[in-house]
């Protein structure tokens, strides 16, 4: 079973590359130029933990997809944590390390976490790092571990092609589990005064790849600044594609809110493909949009039911006890469990399935060879403004048509359609914001406000449908339906209040669509 550890660390090297840093002796001495860290903040003592010999082989695809994305997958022997380690970036200097026992091949649980990037490619040995690590523990007066300091003398060897070797020495300071990051700041000040500087490379692997690459090895270059309308749209789609791929391991690990965030990403991609049909040919992108809709549906299979159940449970909790008649909570729980259409196993099967992997391939292919239409090369301010205004105009039509209907089912359906258009308008404006500035940001904010209000209304519609079904079941079982009727009435009143609020909110938001124009920022 793989275990996860949050790793918070900082890396240092001498200001002059040729200046040695000691790899022997405790860090509490002046050995090799390391400063004395005793007395730094709460550090009462520096305890020498000896020297370990580490041997790690890093795995990647032939085109180095993992390292390009900042992920590292290694098999390491030596030290106290021999085994397989997968490190996923969380923030600068922060990574989640997923560990699995030592084996000859990549453990299936780690292979699954990188499948969205590896897909059908092969994982093979890329770099070997052998390190002589001198370890010291920084402890407080009670002997509690605050941080671990290690001095690593590293020998790197590229295992593919005509790559070479490299040697360097670096220092790592890793925060103890549950520790305060302020200790890292205090150590940082002491190190800088002693002539040490933060490492330029984010990881040993990154430095090894840079220093052992053959002369003709392709270098990763930054994307050029967007110039045309297509550049802006593709940059946004690329960011969403990257988010979709990056969220895959989080969903597999059941990280909080990851399923919801991945579902939102599929919606953003679909919306932008539809909104910018003047830039990207929809005859080519609509099939991709259909696949994104499928994936979003799979991701939301249980989410919508979960949200509805939480809504009803909260409404029930708000009632005085004397107004709850019959086994209402038990019936709500059993009804919810019955309606759950998915499971984690089903979701993992979807992520591992051929259809999902081919969807990711299709996104890559779209970005590599986009089906551009003539306006794609035009002035982005003109093209993007027209697209956002077109979506805002559709939103205006749908909302005002809905508000003109009498209260009832037809209005509920029309308001739901307006909510969908509000989402599409918001996502189109977000994509245009880098080109249009504050104008697009204002439209996105306005659409989000309306989307939220319409979402509350739709929640009430769904709650009333559920309460009707629950009341009917209760009656068939000979139970009282009083509480369901009471909750239904409250939901009906809440919907009426939201509908009454909509015209005022819309009057405030509608001008944002009419003021959006090329050149406004």
């Amino acid at each position: 079973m793989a275990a996860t550890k949050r790793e918070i660390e900082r890396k240092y090297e001498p200001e002059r590359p040729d200046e040695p840093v000691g790899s022997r002796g405790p860090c509490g001495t002046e050995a090799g130029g390391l400063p004395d860290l005793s007395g730094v903040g709460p550090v009462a003592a520096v305890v020498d933990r000896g020297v370990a010999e580490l041997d790690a082989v890093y795995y990647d695809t032939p085109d180095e997809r993992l390292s390009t994305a900042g992920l590292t997958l290694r098999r390491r022997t030596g030290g106290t944590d021999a085994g397989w380690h997968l490190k996923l970036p969380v923030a600068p200097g922060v990574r989640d390390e997923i560990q699995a026992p030592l084996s000859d091949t990549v453990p299936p649980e780690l292979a699954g976490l990188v499948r969205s990037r590896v897909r059908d490619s092969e994982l093979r040995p890329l770099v070997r790092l052998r390190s002589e690590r001198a370890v010291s523990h920084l402890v407080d007066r009670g002997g509690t571990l605050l941080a671990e300091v290690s001095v690593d003398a590293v020998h790197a060897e590229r295992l593919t092609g005509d790559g070479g070797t490299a040697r360097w020495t670096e220092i790592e300071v890793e925060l103890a589990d549950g520790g305060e990051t302020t200790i890292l700041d205090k150590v940082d000040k002491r190190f800088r005064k002693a002539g040490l500087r933060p490492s330029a490379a984010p990881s040993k692997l990154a430095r090894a790849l840079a220093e052992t690459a053959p002369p003709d090895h392709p270098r990763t270059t930054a994307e050029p600044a967007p110039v045309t309308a297509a550049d802006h749209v593709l940059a946004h789609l690329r960011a969403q594609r990257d988010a979709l791929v990056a969220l895959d391991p989080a969903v597999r690990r059941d990280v909080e809110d990851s399923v919801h965030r991945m579902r939102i990403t599929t919606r953003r991609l679909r919306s932008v493909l539809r909104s910018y049909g003047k830039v990207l040919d929809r005859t080519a992108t609509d099939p991709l949009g259909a696949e994104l809709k499928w994936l979003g549906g799979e991701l939301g299979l249980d989410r919508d039911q979960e949200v509805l159940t939480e809504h009803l449970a909260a409404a029930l909790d708000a009632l005085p006890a004397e107004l709850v008649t019959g086994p209402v909570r038990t019936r709500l729980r059993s009804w919810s469990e019955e309606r759950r259409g998915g499971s984690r196993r089903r979701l993992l099967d979807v992520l591992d399935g051929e259809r999902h992997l081919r969807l990711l391939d299709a996104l890559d292919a779209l970005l590599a060879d986009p089906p551009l239409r003539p306006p794609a090369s035009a002035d982005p301010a003109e093209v993007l403004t027209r697209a956002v205004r077109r979506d805002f105009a559709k939103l205006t039509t749908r909302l005002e048509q809905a508000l003109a209907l009498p209260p009832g089912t037809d209005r509920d359906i029309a308001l739901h359609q307006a909510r969908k258009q509000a989402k599409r308008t918001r996502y189109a404006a977000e994509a245009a914001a880098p080109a249009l500035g504050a104008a697009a940001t204002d439209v996105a904010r306005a659409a989000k406000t309306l989307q939220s209000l319409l979402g509350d209304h739709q929640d009430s519609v769904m709650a009333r449908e559920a309460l009707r079904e629950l009341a009917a079941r209760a009656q068939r079982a000979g139970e009282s339906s009083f509480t369901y009727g009471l909750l239904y009435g409250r939901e009906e009143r809440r919907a009426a209040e939201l509908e009454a609020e909509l015209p005022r909110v819309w009057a405030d938001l509608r001008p944002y669509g009419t003021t959006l124009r090329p050149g406004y920022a």
Side-chain angles (χ1 to χ4, degrees):
M1 178 67 67
T4 300
K5 179 180 182 296
R6 176 62 56 89
E7 178 185 84
I8 302 175
E9 67 178 16
R10 300 182 187 180
K11 297 177 181 290
Y12 297 86
E13 59 190 25
E15 288 189 357
R16 298 193 306 274
D18 57 342
E19 181 181 346
V21 176
S23 59
R24 295 287 191 276
C27 294
T29 72
E30 298 293 334
L34 270 176
D36 182 0
L37 295 175
S38 57
V40 173
V43 178
V46 181
V47 182
D48 182 9
R49 305 299 295 177
V51 177
E53 302 287 339
L54 308 177
D55 192 343
V57 175
Y58 288 76
Y59 285 69
D60 207 336
T61 60
D63 53 356
E64 300 177 14
R65 298 177 195 174
L66 300 186
S67 57
T68 299
L71 282 68
T72 61
L73 174 64
R74 73 186 178 200
R75 180 186 187 275
R76 189 166 79 180
T77 57
T80 59
D81 62 347
W84 286 89
H85 305 152
L86 172 64
K87 296 191 179 186
L88 305 171
V90 175
V94 182
R95 295 187 290 183
D96 278 345
E97 181 179 277
I98 297 93
Q99 303 172 347
L102 202 61
S103 61
D104 292 336
T105 58
V106 180
E109 56 266 45
L110 300 191
L113 293 175
V114 297
R115 185 159 289 120
S116 64
R117 298 188 187 278
V118 175
R119 299 175 210 171
D120 297 329
S121 191
E122 175 191 8
L123 283 170
R124 64 181 188 178
L126 175 63
V127 165
R128 183 183 185 188
L129 296 183
R130 285 170 288 175
S131 304
E132 187 179 75
R133 167 168 288 184
V135 180
S136 291
H137 285 178
L138 308 185
V139 299
D140 64 13
R141 291 184 181 276
T144 301
L145 179 64
L146 301 171
E148 180 177 281
V149 180
S150 59
V151 182
D152 294 342
V154 184
H155 175 221
E157 176 188 5
R158 184 178 283 260
L159 302 177
T160 58
D162 298 323
T165 62
R167 292 179 181 272
W168 70 87
T169 300
E170 69 178 35
I171 306 169
E172 288 185 3
V173 186
E174 183 175 346
L175 190 67
D177 292 345
E180 297 288 339
T181 56
T182 52
I183 184 63
L184 299 183
D185 296 332
K186 295 181 184 299
V187 171
D188 178 83
K189 290 182 180 179
R190 180 63 60 89
F191 276 0
R192 289 175 186 265
K193 287 182 179 179
L196 298 172
R197 66 180 183 186
S199 297
S203 67
K204 286 184 176 66
L205 176 62
R207 181 166 182 173
L209 290 174
E211 296 192 11
T212 66
D216 59 347
H217 188 74
R219 306 291 180 178
T220 301
T221 57
E223 291 289 335
V227 177
T228 65
D231 291 336
H232 281 278
V233 173
L234 292 172
H236 186 79
L237 289 172
R238 190 173 295 109
Q240 299 308 310
R241 184 276 314 270
D242 292 347
L244 190 67
V245 172
L247 282 166
D248 183 287
V251 170
R252 292 172 185 271
R253 294 166 56 208
D254 203 19
V255 174
E256 184 179 0
D257 203 39
S258 58
V259 173
H260 178 61
R261 289 161 55 207
M262 192 174 190
R263 187 185 185 192
I264 293 298
T265 302
T266 65
R267 289 173 175 170
R268 282 195 167 98
L269 284 163
R270 283 182 62 214
S271 290
V272 170
L273 290 175
R274 292 185 64 175
S275 295
Y276 292 100
K278 298 292 185 182
V279 175
L280 298 173
D281 188 350
R282 285 192 56 179
T283 60
T285 63
D286 278 356
L288 179 54
E291 290 301 284
L292 288 165
K293 183 178 182 180
W294 160 77
L295 178 59
E298 293 290 346
L299 291 165
L301 204 55
D302 282 341
R303 172 64 179 173
D304 291 341
Q305 180 63 31
E306 179 184 353
V307 170
L308 177 57
T309 302
E310 290 175 354
H311 180 90
L312 292 173
L316 185 60
D317 289 341
L319 288 179
E322 62 269 20
L323 297 181
V324 180
T325 61
V328 181
R329 287 185 174 83
T330 300
R331 182 162 295 285
L332 174 60
R333 183 168 54 252
S334 61
W335 169 82
S336 179
E337 291 173 353
E338 175 189 319
R339 288 170 60 97
R340 288 178 66 88
S343 65
R344 274 203 56 75
R345 181 66 262 166
R346 175 190 171 97
L347 182 54
L348 294 178
D349 287 343
V350 167
L351 296 181
D352 284 336
E354 189 73 13
R355 187 173 181 180
H356 176 236
L357 298 180
R358 297 295 74 82
L359 166 58
L360 297 178
D361 287 343
L363 282 170
D364 290 347
L366 173 76
L367 293 166
D369 186 19
L372 301 179
R373 298 187 63 193
S377 59
D379 174 28
E382 294 285 347
V383 175
L384 302 184
T385 296
R386 288 196 189 99
V388 177
R389 291 191 69 169
R390 187 163 51 245
D391 272 343
F392 201 96
K394 291 178 182 178
L395 172 59
T396 299
T397 299
R398 290 192 177 181
L399 182 60
E400 294 184 351
Q401 286 177 345
L403 292 175
L405 295 171
T409 301
D410 289 345
R411 175 186 263 198
D412 291 342
I413 294 172
L415 287 173
H416 184 47
Q417 294 303 314
R419 180 194 178 206
K420 291 181 179 180
Q421 185 59 43
K423 287 182 184 179
R424 190 169 301 132
T425 304
R426 171 190 169 189
Y427 297 148
E430 288 175 347
L436 304 183
T441 300
D442 287 344
V443 170
R445 189 180 297 114
K448 183 179 180 181
T449 299
L450 186 63
Q451 172 193 332
S452 178
L453 187 60
L454 292 170
D456 290 343
H457 183 272
Q458 179 64 13
D459 288 345
S460 177
V461 172
M462 299 304 296
R464 280 177 280 155
E465 289 183 6
L467 288 166
R468 281 196 296 268
E469 180 181 343
L470 286 165
R473 291 189 177 198
Q475 285 181 326
R476 288 195 295 270
E479 301 166 4
S480 171
S481 60
F482 169 80
T483 301
Y484 304 107
L486 181 61
L487 291 174
Y488 187 97
R490 290 190 171 197
E491 290 292 346
E492 197 169 41
R493 185 175 69 235
R494 173 61 175 154
E497 291 170 351
L498 290 168
E499 290 179 33
E501 187 181 358
L502 266 171
R504 178 189 61 77
V505 173
W506 178 236
D508 291 339
L509 299 179
R510 182 172 180 175
Y512 287 110
T514 58
T515 57
L516 180 66
R517 60 187 183 276
Y520 173 75

